[in-house]
Amino acid sequence: MKVTFPHMGQVYLAIKGLLDDLGIEVVVPPPITEKTLEIGTKLSPEMACLPLKINIGNYVESIQKGADTIIIAGSCGPCRFGYYGVVQKEILKDLGYDVNMIIFDPPNSDYGVFIDKIKKLAGKNSWISVAQAFKRASAIVKEADEMLDIALKKRAREINKGDVDSRLNCFEQEVLSRHGNDEILETIRKYKEILSQVEEKSDVLPLKIGLVGEIYTLIEPYVNLNVEKKLGYLGVEVYRSITLYEWVKLHLSLDVKYRMRHKRILRKAAPYLSLCVGGHAWQTIANTIYYSECGVDGVIQIMPFGCMPEIVAESILPRVYQDYGTPVMTLVVDEMTGEAGYFTRLEAFVDLLEQKRRGRVDGYKEGLFGN
């Protein structure tokens, strides 16, 4: 069995570590490129959302490298992601690719089905070995997200533009040669230390922007056109509302304290949206309010074209802005999105936030000195 999976940010680190530890041969999908997008766009239904098209491109590239089994996370509720696995399997079958697809729906209350699928994947490994491998893979998810958080803070303050990204590029090249959870974790820790040593400017006060929206477009840099990097180069400190570690904590762990905190944030959306309408629309509203209360300068919603849940959220966000006053911008991405226009919108939004901040400072000085 040669297993592959869709590319989504740094999820490949944990899956590779987990499968290595279980003795399962893994085919890490090649990084997403224009070729990946071209394959997916050509083979997928025209109105399918961007993540599905890119997934198909990932699968075809991995199958060409020998993969015969695909694992993918599932979902529930009124979002097309819930039937991605079934649709993608049919598309691949029509193309003549005979692959096995294992769909891991969030267990929620039905842990039996989830465990059966793990058993199918784990083969002859003992449950103790599986549990230990999962625990170490969870540590990778946690520490990889911490490493990215360090990069987000440093990028907005680095003295030499590009220092953070040159180190992240070295990390990505080095980590692919590592085998198993322990070696991958060791490499992550090494680069957390290296990133922490990037020299910072001492006299900067970066703007703060929170990112909300659909999980795949938030986590996968190719899909969101490297929004975190672009904002960082504009001197903005970025906060991510949805991370891979959060998904793991909510769906795969029994951390009651974390789940209660998540529910407290979701309750903030109650005056506007008080139930799940699919995807992460509920979280988009709740996190926009949460960020506003935390005092960020602005919020950016990112979603794939045609994403129903995020369209619902987009229609509500103007009311949230009226009530809380934190500027919100929505960016929609698909295979036709032009990078130049996208970057221009980011620049204009950051300029607006900077002017707003200067206005607040000037207003404060006027009040203080009576000018």
Side-chain angles (χ1 to χ4, degrees):
M1 180 165 62
K2 291 185 179 179
V3 179
T4 192
F5 48 87
H7 236 307
M8 187 170 87
Q10 295 192 318
V11 70
Y12 72 93
L13 299 173
I15 297 181
K16 183 179 184 306
L18 174 68
L19 296 178
D20 283 347
D21 278 10
L22 294 177
I24 299 169
E25 195 168 348
V26 55
V27 177
V28 177
I32 300 171
T33 61
E34 284 186 25
K35 182 186 171 189
T36 314
L37 180 58
E38 189 180 326
I39 294 170
T41 304
K42 183 179 175 184
L43 303 179
S44 305
E46 182 185 358
M47 293 307 292
C49 48
L50 184 60
L52 186 144
K53 294 174 182 174
I54 290 181
N55 285 177
I56 291 293
N58 286 153
Y59 299 153
V60 171
E61 288 184 314
S62 296
I63 291 169
Q64 289 169 349
K65 287 179 173 290
D68 57 22
T69 302
I70 296 168
I71 55 174
I72 179 175
S75 182
C76 55
C79 170
R80 285 181 282 186
F81 181 55
Y83 57 80
Y84 261 29
V86 177
V87 173
Q88 290 171 344
K89 186 172 183 178
E90 288 300 314
I91 292 173
L92 292 173
K93 188 178 173 185
D94 289 345
L95 294 169
Y97 295 118
D98 182 21
V99 291
N100 183 28
M101 186 166 275
I102 304 174
I103 305 168
F104 286 94
D105 290 308
N108 297 324
S109 59
D110 192 357
Y111 280 86
V113 174
F114 187 74
I115 289 171
D116 283 345
K117 290 182 178 176
I118 291 176
K119 206 171 176 181
K120 184 178 177 184
L121 182 67
K124 294 181 181 177
N125 284 282
S126 69
W127 282 111
I128 293 176
S129 301
V130 173
Q132 288 174 340
F134 261 96
K135 187 178 178 184
R136 288 193 290 269
S138 297
I140 288 178
V141 172
K142 178 175 181 287
E143 298 216 22
D145 269 336
E146 289 173 354
M147 182 178 70
L148 287 183
D149 285 340
I150 294 170
L152 293 175
K153 288 184 187 303
K154 288 285 183 179
R155 197 182 277 127
R157 299 173 172 84
E158 61 188 358
I159 292 176
N160 302 310
K161 189 178 283 189
D163 276 358
V164 167
D165 290 304
S166 67
R167 285 157 177 78
L168 285 177
N169 290 339
C170 291
F171 165 76
E172 287 171 7
Q173 289 171 15
E174 187 174 329
V175 78
L176 279 176
S177 64
R178 299 295 181 253
H179 185 86
N181 280 317
D182 290 343
E183 287 189 13
I184 292 173
L185 201 51
E186 184 184 338
T187 309
I188 292 171
R189 287 172 179 162
K190 172 184 165 185
Y191 276 87
K192 280 171 73 176
E193 182 61 31
I194 289 172
L195 284 168
S196 299
Q197 292 170 3
V198 170
E199 289 187 283
E200 298 180 21
K201 297 172 188 169
S202 58
D203 55 347
V204 293
L205 186 59
L207 286 168
K208 293 179 170 54
I209 289 181
L211 298 183
V212 299
E214 190 271 337
I215 184 169
Y216 186 83
T217 47
L218 281 185
I219 291 179
E220 174 49 51
Y222 182 87
V223 173
N224 62 41
L225 283 79
N226 283 299
V227 65
E228 293 170 3
K229 187 189 292 188
K230 287 181 169 66
L231 288 171
Y233 286 169
L234 291 172
V236 174
E237 187 173 338
V238 176
Y239 293 84
R240 301 171 297 154
S241 64
I242 297 177
T243 63
L244 186 60
Y245 182 57
E246 187 202 51
W247 190 92
V248 170
K249 292 284 276 184
L250 283 178
H251 298 293
L252 302 181
S253 84
L254 300 175
D255 190 336
V256 176
K257 193 175 173 184
Y258 193 87
R259 291 186 181 201
M260 288 178 67
R261 177 185 176 275
H262 180 71
K263 284 184 179 176
R264 279 199 300 275
I265 293 177
L266 281 181
R267 278 199 288 270
K268 293 178 184 295
Y272 312 92
L273 184 67
S274 57
L275 77 167
C276 177
V277 293
H280 289 83
W282 198 3
Q283 287 90 338
T284 294
I285 302 300
N287 283 314
T288 300
I289 296 168
Y290 174 70
Y291 280 143
S292 299
E293 291 176 345
C294 290
V296 300
D297 297 285
V299 173
I300 296 178
Q301 179 202 20
I302 307 176
M303 64 176 186
F305 175 75
C307 177
M308 183 278 288
E310 289 300 326
I311 289 172
V312 173
E314 183 187 14
S315 69
I316 295 171
L317 287 174
R319 278 190 56 207
V320 177
Y321 167 65
Q322 286 174 2
D323 293 344
Y324 288 86
T326 302
V328 182
M329 179 175 72
T330 296
L331 294 173
V332 182
V333 292
D334 68 5
E335 63 271 26
M336 304 298 288
T337 302
E339 190 160 3
Y342 185 89
F343 186 59
T344 300
R345 290 195 66 194
L346 287 178
E347 280 186 310
F349 188 63
V350 170
D351 282 347
L352 181 148
L353 298 181
E354 187 58 54
Q355 288 174 25
K356 189 169 183 278
R357 181 165 73 171
R358 281 188 201 144
R360 282 202 302 266
V361 173
D362 291 344
Y364 171 74
K365 286 179 179 174
E366 285 176 12
L368 191 63
F369 298 110
N371 293 326

